[in-house]
Every structure is written in structure tokens, then in C-alpha cells.
């Protein structure tokens, strides 16, 4: 139903940045969602250097937040859908895929912050926790 509504809103001319989805939890298959690089598998292993905390193993199709938690790092989170900004991390180097329409503020974008619950590593990264 969500996909149908999104298609119809686009057909009616609603700007993409005004369309919001409610998704509870992580996307099941992020590689099938709009904007994912076509040639990149969702199961590629990458490394995330977390400044001051060492290196974390991750997969391209897994939200940064989940990879960080699996490594025992505590990242504050509330909604886990990209809405509250509690899980922000700063990306210092490397490519990240941010799910479309997840409310990332322009100021955060300009400073390199992403919502780790709705952001995926496309390659090796260096990030910084906290604000
Ligand atoms: S936990 Fe709310 S934006 Fe990530």
C-alpha cells in the first residue's frame, strides 16, 4: 500500500521531499529501494573506523546503527526510522547511502551528519560518534 501511495503521489506531482513513509525498523531489503547503487550487493563486507573506538565490521545492506550496536557501541536512538535525529553520527570519510525522505536537516547534511538508523555504508568509512 505504501508503494502504491508513493507512486500515486508522484503521479499527482507531489515533490519527492514532501513524501514521508512510516517504516518501523530497518528496511528489509535496502538494495530494492530507490537510490541504491544498482551494481552494489547489499551483503558486501566493509569496515567502519569509529574515531576513538576502533574498527567495526559492517555490511552494505545493514544500517550503520545496527553495525555499531553489534560491536557493543552505544548510540542513542529513539525512533529507528530517521525521524528523531537522536542517532546522528558524523561521516568523516567514505560513501554512505541515506534513505530518501528521512528528514535529515540541511545543517546536519552540511556538517556531514547522517541518521545512523537509516544510513548504509557503501564502502569503508570513518565516522565520529556524538555531536
Ligand atoms: S533513531 Fe531516530 S533518527 Fe535514528
Amino acid at each position: 500500500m505504501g508503494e502504491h501511495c508513493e507512486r500515486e503521489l508522484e503521479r499527482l506531482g507531489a515533490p519527492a521531499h514532501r513524501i514521508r513513509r512510516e517504516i518501523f525498523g530497518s528496511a528489509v531489503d535496502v538494495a530494492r529501494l530507490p537510490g541504491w547503487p544498482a551494481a552494489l550487493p547489499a551483503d558486501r563486507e566493509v569496515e567502519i573506523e569509529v574515531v576513538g573506538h576502533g574498527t567495526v565490521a559492517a555490511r552494505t545492506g545493514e544500517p550503520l546503527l545496527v553495525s555499531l550496536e553489534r560491536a557493543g557501541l552505544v548510540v542513542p536512538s529513539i525512533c529507528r526510522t530517521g525521524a528523531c535525529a537522536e542517532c546522528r553520527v558524523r561521516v568523516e570519510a567514505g560513501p554512505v547511502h541515506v534513505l530518501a525522505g528521512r528528514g535529515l536537516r540541511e545543517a546536519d547534511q552540511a556538517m556531514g551528519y547522517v541518521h545512523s538508523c537509516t544510513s548504509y555504508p557503501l564502502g569503508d568509512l570513518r565516522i565520529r560518534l556524538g555531536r
Side-chain angles (χ1 to χ4, degrees), residues 65 76-87 115-117:
L65 178 61
S77 64
I78 298 173
C79 71
R80 303 179 80 89
T81 63
C84 73
E86 192 69 17
C87 66
H115 297 166
S116 63
C117 66

Side-chain angles (χ1 to χ4, degrees), residues 32-83:
R32 292 181 49 209
L33 296 178
W36 185 262
L40 183 66
D43 61 353
R44 180 173 292 169
E45 294 182 6
V46 297
E47 289 188 342
I48 303 172
E49 177 190 346
V50 185
V51 175
H53 298 278
T55 301
V56 170
R59 288 186 304 106
T60 48
E62 182 174 75
L64 291 173
L65 178 61
V66 174
S67 300
L68 296 170
E69 289 174 334
R70 186 188 342 277
L73 297 172
V74 176
V75 179
S77 64
I78 298 173
C79 71
R80 303 179 80 89
T81 63

